[in-house]
Amino acid sequence: QLQLVESGGGLVQPGGSLRLSCSASGSKLDFYIIGWFRQAPGKEREGISCITTTRSTNYADSVKGRFIMSRDNRKNTVYLQMNSLKPEDTAVYYCAAIWNPRSPLCTMQLRYDQWGQGTQVTVSS
């Protein structure tokens, strides 16, 4: 059984940077598409990024040019580098996985079925 644990969240000033980690256990991530999602109080969950098994990435317009997703299969970990953070980036950030070893592309609309418990990111001065 795959388990995902997010880390790296915290309090940062506008314009600052954070790197989130999504560490997996129980299974290798080599054959999974991984997505990052976020949810702020009173708002629906928003898909922000995904990465395929071949490291093809996709980003929501709200974070494009500021966030970068990567994966390190040897460490069984995926990352979300967040730069130029804005107050509207404040949310609980989740990583999620779906087994898909063949797809050359990913979207945040896929039916991700394995989820972490989230890490809080607060952007405030």
Side-chain angles (χ1 to χ4, degrees):
Q1 52 186 15
L2 178 66
Q3 294 183 339
L4 302 174
V5 178
E6 302 92 340
S7 63
L11 175 64
V12 65
Q13 294 184 343
S17 297
L18 284 174
R19 189 178 77 161
L20 305 184
S21 298
C22 176
S23 298
S25 61
S27 297
K28 293 287 187 179
L29 286 180
D30 303 53
F31 304 133
Y32 287 84
I33 287 173
I34 308 297
W36 281 100
F37 301 79
R38 66 187 182 186
Q39 188 166 25
K43 296 184 178 180
E44 294 185 353
R45 186 166 57 201
E46 175 190 15
I48 58 174
S49 182
C50 61
I51 189 167
T52 70
T53 60
T54 56
R55 294 179 172 84
S56 177
T57 55
N58 195 10
Y59 300 93
D61 289 341
S62 58
V63 305
K64 192 173 298 182
R66 299 189 297 122
F67 292 8
I68 301 172
M69 194 172 178
S70 62
R71 66 192 301 161
D72 186 338
N73 289 341
R74 294 182 181 180
K75 296 182 178 179
N76 219 27
T77 301
V78 299
Y79 303 96
L80 183 67
Q81 178 66 46
M82 306 188 296
N83 301 314
S84 301
L85 284 162
K86 305 174 181 179
E88 52 262 43
D89 295 318
T90 296
V92 177
Y93 283 71
Y94 302 87
C95 64
I98 180 171
W99 189 83
N100 194 332
R102 297 183 179 181
S103 179
L105 302 173
C106 67
T107 72
M108 284 71 78
Q109 287 72 49
L110 294 171
R111 294 181 180 178
Y112 296 86
D113 51 19
Q114 304 292 332
W115 293 79
Q117 293 186 333
T119 185
Q120 177 71 48
V121 173
T122 302
V123 184
S124 177
S125 59

